[in-house]
Amino acid sequence: MIIIMRSHVSDEEIHSVEKKLEEFGLQPNVSRGIERTVIGAVGDERSAHKETLEALPGVEDVIRVMKPYKIVARESKEESTVINIRGIPLGGKAIQIIGGPCSVETQPQMDAAAQGVADAGCQLMRGGAFKPRTSPYSFQGKGEEGLDIFRNAADKHDLPIVTELMDVRMLDSFVDKKVDVIQIGTRNMQNFDLLKEVGKTHIPVILKRGLCATISEWLMSAEYIAAGGNHNIILCERGVRSFEKAYRNMLDVTAIPVLKKETHLPVIVDPSHAGGKAWLVSDLSKAAIAAGADGLLVEMHPTPCEAWCDADQALSPDELKVLMSDLRLLAKAIGREII
Ligand code: PEP
Ligand code: MN
């Protein structure tokens, strides 16, 4: 940590900063220049309160040297993390495409969806039983019954299931029903109590980026999960709010290589909620894979125009098949593979 003092600072002001740093367990080193005095603080700066130091008289600026996140930072673990989902690796050389409908509707719909996912060659399936809807009058999801429908359909093809947890009170059901991957949706990225609870399990978690979250805020949310002991975290970029109205959200492709540098956690992309239109999904998927994503979360519905939720952005089973074969070629070209 570096503390930059104002010009014409008094000795007394410098001493009070030194004293405060020592109280925080840091070792101060004062360097007096002609114009400015700078105090370097050596030690674990996480124990120091930046705001307390900033408020001291004579202090102009306080700069942290270390990252605010620890466990999820690449600097604490150089090799990329590979998450094991019932024997299926996510991260590393393989790219995983998670396909399935926005929401669980009926058993026949989920059976057909699971068939489509398996036929396309995806190894994991998505589907929401608890839906975060903007309007309280929209379909809210089938709830626990939906988890059973989903499990039934996916088990016929031995597909691990990915589904969203919105309320901490449902966590026990998710554990009992052996949900393979818990999705924390965009709207809950900073629901810290929810993050803490999933952090106490060892179930892999897909943590979606908040609507307006910075990369640093997102990684701090991942740190909440990791701090509880659950290091099985997958980050999912799904587009952020922007000024543009021509599509649903702006896919932040730049975030992918930035995350790869900042964290060892796998990064996947949701092209469906980014574009919001089925015709955009293929191009956005290719951009994501080319930029280094470890996987995709793609909405597919057996009959897209009949979907109860997000009908406009759902691929048909045939479109998912075509996407998978295009992506296989792309993966090969960049030295990765889709098994
Ligand atoms: C979803 O994946 O079903 C979903 C609701 O996405 P998001 O949280 O990204 O809006
Ligand atoms: Mn959706």
Side-chain angles (χ1 to χ4, degrees), residues 100-103 126 128 131-133 164 183 208 248 270 272-273 299 309-311 313:
C102 179
S103 58
R126 65 149 289 148
K131 296 304 301 175
R133 304 304 300 277
E164 178 164 352
Q183 181 173 317
K208 291 191 130 191
R248 193 169 178 183
D270 174 346
S272 309
H273 289 88
E299 287 190 347
C309 186
D310 286 347
Q313 65 194 38

Side-chain angles (χ1 to χ4, degrees), residues 290-309:
D294 298 299
L296 300 173
L297 189 64
V298 179
E299 287 190 347
M300 180 277 281
H301 192 280
T303 40
C305 57
E306 287 169 22
W308 296 4
C309 186

Side-chain angles (χ1 to χ4, degrees), residues 158-190:
D158 203 21
L159 292 163
I161 64 172
V162 176
T163 195
E164 178 164 352
L165 174 71
M166 296 205 299
D167 187 328
V168 83
R169 290 168 296 186
M170 292 317 297
L171 181 55
D172 287 346
S173 284
F174 275 52
V175 173
D176 289 348
K177 294 181 192 294
K178 297 194 169 51
V179 167
D180 300 289
V181 181
I182 295 175
Q183 181 173 317
I184 301 291
T186 293
R187 291 150 193 87
N188 276 311
M189 188 204 83
Q190 285 190 318

